[in-house]
Amino acid sequence: MKYQSFLIKYAEIGTKGKNRFLFEDALISHICHALKRVDGKFEVRKEAGRIYVSALTDYDYDDVTEALGKVFGIAWICPMLQTEERDFDRLKETVVSYMAHVYGDKSLTFKVAARRADKNYPVPSEQMNRDLGEAVLLAFPQMRVDVHEPDVLLRVEVRHTVVNIYSEMIAGPGGMPVGTNGKALLLLSGGIDSPVAGYMVAKRGVKIDAVYFHAPPYTSERAKQKVVDLASIVARYSGPMDLHVVNFTDIQMCIYETCPHEELTIIMRRYMMRIAERIAEETGGMALITGESIGQVASQTVQSLAATNDVCSIPVFRPVIAFDKQEIVDISLKIGTYDTSIQPYEDCCTIFVAKHPVTKPSVKAIRKSEELLRGKIEEMVETAVARREVIRCG
Ligand code: ATP
Ligand code: MG
């Protein structure tokens, strides 16, 4: 069956009541954007708490459902038959023809679930259930009705101007439309965790940009390209994002030459956070996002996280903080970042790691070590922020 339209059911409505239209409009604009990537012309419209996507030309069903499956805010994608013919006898014929086309194998059980959004429709729902069920049984004697656990739940929704007939429901990604919940800056490395972290926060409706710290010549162009690739994959869900590429080499060298080696990673991470916060401030970001997870490495013990967090004044979202590695890997496989994340390119953190990094740093000691940098590092930070490269991804 070639469906002509889709009913989009949305997930949580973050902003109920008067602001609900903002949520719906954002969702519609993301749906339109997602559909631009597939062949065909579509009309997207809202009507009394419903969002409809109608194909105006030929299209590829798999491409469309895949594109819609990446739009945050969508709970269900229901391919449907929509008809303006509301006469009940004609409706019976349409329902029968729907079942004929959608289900090749007729040995199935079904149940009709009719609803009248238009209470003036002359046939009550209960009678619609019975009569439409009877029409289907007459047409396909192999089918059986099962009101408890039907193979097919056939929904027939009578609305004011149209009738929607559907029985297939494809799960959407859930969440809220991007942009309905502010903006944040993702610290994106080439690893497995940070792309997942960005995906998770974007899923809650937050628009994201990203920052990547690279250290040429210690990290290669390939390592940077890998991060651009990851940002582009996350952007398929979050929408296009700016990737700020910060040259971190001088800062890293300065820390390396000046501070105790076992504290290198923590101090480096504190500078990453400081710079990220500066960029967030400049670009309207209200929070930072990292892929940190408790205990994963020395720089992610609770003490280390506290020491890193010490320099931040805006909120830091760490959505995978309590996830096991495998749980993060599972999400990265699902969203398609895993294969890129495991490409073996060097990371700027790994190049300057000490043999025995502190695992329980004291904030006081770290602050003291950082005093050694005073007078030298401020200008380097200014330069790094000012000379960053911005790459549009997605
Ligand atoms: P990931 O898989 O995200 O790389 P990781 O387990 O390698 O995480 P770390 O290298 O300790 O962990 O980094 C922790 C977090 O710090 C990352 O999730 C990321 O948010 C941020 N980060 C680390 N390195 C960089 C970098 N070079 N550029 C931008 N952010 C970084
Ligand atoms: Mg990393």
Side-chain angles (χ1 to χ4, degrees), residues 12-69:
E12 258 169 88
I13 299 184
T15 44
K16 289 198 183 75
K18 271 193 295 190
N19 286 333
R20 175 171 160 159
F21 77 96
L22 291 175
F23 176 98
E24 291 171 334
D25 290 350
L27 186 54
I28 287 174
S29 107
H30 292 303
I31 290 172
C32 292
H33 186 80
L35 290 173
K36 276 194 194 133
R37 300 169 67 102
V38 302
D39 287 337
K41 268 202 156 46
F42 303 88
E43 181 195 58
V44 185
R45 62 183 202 283
K46 72 173 169 183
E47 235 176 68
R50 286 272 183 278
I51 291 176
Y52 298 125
V53 173
S54 305
L56 305 175
T57 56
D58 250 6
Y59 71 95
D60 185 277
Y61 178 82
D62 293 335
D63 288 353
V64 167
T65 48
E66 197 196 317
L68 293 175

Side-chain angles (χ1 to χ4, degrees), residues 314-345:
I314 59 176
V316 181
F317 300 150
R318 300 177 169 92
V320 300
I321 194 73
F323 281 27
D324 291 349
K325 191 75 189 183
Q326 189 56 46
E327 293 171 307
I328 305 172
V329 165
D330 289 346
I331 300 177
S332 77
L333 284 167
K334 188 183 86 180
I335 67 175
T337 49
Y338 183 77
D339 288 342
T340 305
S341 289
I342 59 167
Q343 287 171 9
Y345 298 108

Side-chain angles (χ1 to χ4, degrees), residues 270-281:
R270 285 165 58 102
Y271 274 93
M272 282 188 187
M273 298 307 245
R274 287 183 174 111
I275 293 174
E277 197 165 308
R278 288 272 302 270
I279 296 174
E281 258 163 34

Side-chain angles (χ1 to χ4, degrees), residues 24 34 44 133 139 154 191 245 299 312 337 386:
E24 291 171 334
V44 185
L154 177 62
V245 180
S299 61
C312 303
T337 49

Side-chain angles (χ1 to χ4, degrees), residues 189-194 300 347 349-350:
S189 66
I192 294 172
D193 310 324
S194 46
Q300 296 176 22
D347 179 40
C349 302
T350 50

Side-chain angles (χ1 to χ4, degrees), residues 160-182:
H160 290 270
T161 53
V162 290
V163 182
N164 299 330
I165 301 165
Y166 62 97
S167 54
E168 302 287 299
M169 290 178 67
I170 304 159
M176 293 191 234
V178 171
T180 56
N181 261 327

